[in-house]
Amino acid sequence: MPQPKARLLTDKPIVYVLSGPNLNLLGTREPEIYGHDTLNDIHARLEAQAEKLGLSLECRQTNHEGVLIDWLHEAYVAGAKAVLLNAGGYTHSSIAIHDAIKSIKVPVIEVHLSDPMKREKFRHISYVGMAAAAQFAGHGAESYTLALDAAARF
């Protein structure tokens, strides 16, 4: 794996905000569980918060597991301060994402809108959480802002 390089586009520390499958449907997908905010709404609030915290954000969403892994590696190579990761359903199934988190030297914070422990039993296992530095779940969109505050302290 290549060694980390300094980020050239900004002098602010960068935090990657990575979202997994189905999060592109936030706002319309099961709003009784996930709320009415879209992912763009959440990103806009995070951008404003990041500005106050002196951070730069790189916000991305994909429905593909390998792309999330590539972005985790990219965050490491870019010298990111932290990664906020909502891996969606991959949280409960992807050993590959677990291994990717363990292979990089960037703190990864697991983020969930709902509380997986209060949902179906299959959601109680988090392979992401087994490798993550911290977790924020069950606070709706506020889970992201809490996670960004924590990332600023790393």
Side-chain angles (χ1 to χ4, degrees), residues 13-25:
I14 187 161
V15 174
Y16 277 59
V17 180
L18 304 181
S19 298
N22 301 311
L23 291 164
N24 55 306
L25 299 176

Side-chain angles (χ1 to χ4, degrees), residues 37-55:
D37 290 319
T38 67
L39 193 57
N40 286 338
D41 295 336
I42 292 168
H43 288 168
R45 282 197 297 279
L46 288 175
E47 288 284 357
Q49 180 184 1
E51 184 66 30
K52 292 176 186 171
L53 293 169
L55 300 171

Side-chain angles (χ1 to χ4, degrees), residues 127-143:
Y127 292 107
V128 169
M130 291 176 194
Q135 180 194 63
F136 292 90
H139 304 285
E142 186 72 14
S143 293

Side-chain angles (χ1 to χ4, degrees), residues 73-138:
H73 294 173
E74 179 186 315
Y76 169 66
V77 172
K81 181 175 184 67
V83 173
L84 309 188
L85 174 60
N86 184 340
Y90 290 133
T91 297
H92 320 291
S93 64
S94 181
I95 294 168
I97 291 175
H98 168 276
D99 290 351
I101 294 167
K102 300 270 298 183
S103 72
I104 63 173
K105 294 180 174 100
V106 176
V108 174
I109 301 173
E110 180 181 18
V111 180
H112 295 287
L113 296 163
S114 66
D115 182 350
M117 296 307 291
K118 294 181 179 175
R119 301 203 40 214
E120 304 93 338
K121 187 171 177 131
F122 69 85
R123 296 183 193 276
H124 296 184
I125 293 175
S126 172
Y127 292 107
V128 169
M130 291 176 194
Q135 180 194 63
F136 292 90

